[in-house]
């Protein structure tokens, strides 16, 4: 019924979380977490601590605490009065690997930068994210999360704004949430530690 992609283990490869079920009371399939190791996907639902049985009408993923741990929020039901569990939240206890969260603010483009593409460059590897307005029954935040594994640095971020502007930010920090404003050469920290 729903699904989203995010790098839950911060290894640089997007994983998939799928919500299952239907509005009918007899449908109680568990959600599925498929981990990408760069060679393929593996079902790690139960080893990740997600043995949730029930409907998963909407699945959202976000770094709720600003510390690189992606949480999964599941809208589980609520269509019938007998459904008592209407939402679940999975928050990992530890952060696996390094990360960088990027928030964009448009000036000439729309303020939320919907449609912007961010490419993270680290050596020969590249990761790309596109800021979107939502996905089927789930909605990712406009903040873009990049897993870096054991990587301790990022060479650059390249942003293609909806206005057509191409912007490059050199040497952004690791294990931070930063904001980049359209047309400004530098970044700013979102959280002060």
């Amino acid at each position: 019924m729903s699904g989203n992609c995010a790098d839950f283990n911060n290894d640089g490869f997007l994983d998939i979380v799928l919500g299952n079920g239907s509005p009918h009371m007899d449908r109680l399939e568990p959600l599925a977490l498929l981990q990408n190791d760069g060679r393929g996907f593996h079902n790690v639902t139960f080893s990740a601590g997600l043995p949730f049985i029930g409907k998963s009408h909407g699945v959202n993923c976000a770094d709720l605490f600003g510390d690189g741990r992606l949480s999964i929020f599941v809208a589980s039901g609520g269509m019938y009065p007998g459904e008592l569990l209407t939402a679940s939240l999975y928050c990992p206890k530890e952060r696996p690997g390094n990360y960088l969260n990027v928030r964009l603010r448009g000036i000439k483009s729309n303020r939320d930068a919907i449609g912007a593409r961010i490419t993270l460059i680290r050596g020969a590897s590249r990761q790309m994210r596109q800021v979107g307005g939502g996905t089927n029954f789930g909605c990712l935040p406009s903040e873009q999360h990049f897993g870096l594994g054991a990587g301790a640095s990022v060479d650059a971020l390249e942003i293609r704004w909806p206005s057509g502007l191409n912007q490059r930010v050199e040497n952004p920090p690791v294990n931070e949430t930063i904001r980049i404003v359209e047309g400004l050469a530098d970044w700013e920290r979102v959280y002060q530690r």
Side-chain angles (χ1 to χ4, degrees), residues 176-189:
E176 295 283 350
T177 299
I178 64 171
R179 178 180 294 111
I180 298 172
V181 178
E182 184 177 14
L184 298 183
D186 212 356
W187 52 269
E188 60 187 34
R189 229 176 229 103

Side-chain angles (χ1 to χ4, degrees), residues 2-11 13-20 29-37 40-52 56 59-62 70-74 90-92 96:
S2 61
N4 266 312
C5 296
D7 188 356
F8 294 105
N9 60 350
N10 287 339
D11 66 352
F13 299 106
L14 288 175
D15 308 307
I16 300 172
V17 62
L18 297 172
N20 298 308
E29 298 89 358
L31 61 86
L33 178 58
L34 305 175
Q35 185 177 37
N36 180 357
D37 64 4
F41 290 91
H42 309 279
N43 190 333
V44 297
T45 305
F46 298 108
S47 63
L50 294 170
F52 173 77
S56 308
V59 177
N60 296 303
C61 316
L70 287 183
S71 298
I72 300 173
F73 182 78
V74 181
Y90 166 74
C91 300

Side-chain angles (χ1 to χ4, degrees), residues 128-150:
M128 196 277 291
R129 305 283 188 274
Q130 182 162 344
V131 180
T135 58
N136 65 16
F137 287 108
C139 184
L140 295 173
S142 58
E143 176 179 291
Q144 300 302 302
H145 177 87
F146 295 90
L148 304 173

Side-chain angles (χ1 to χ4, degrees), residues 1 3-4 11 27 32 37 48 53 62 69 87 92 109-110 118 122 143 145 150 156 192:
M1 284 200 69
N4 266 312
D11 66 352
R27 297 288 303 271
D37 64 4
I53 301 291
R69 296 177 300 144
S109 299
N110 64 81
I118 307 170
R122 189 170 55 118
E143 176 179 291
H145 177 87
Q192 297 299 325

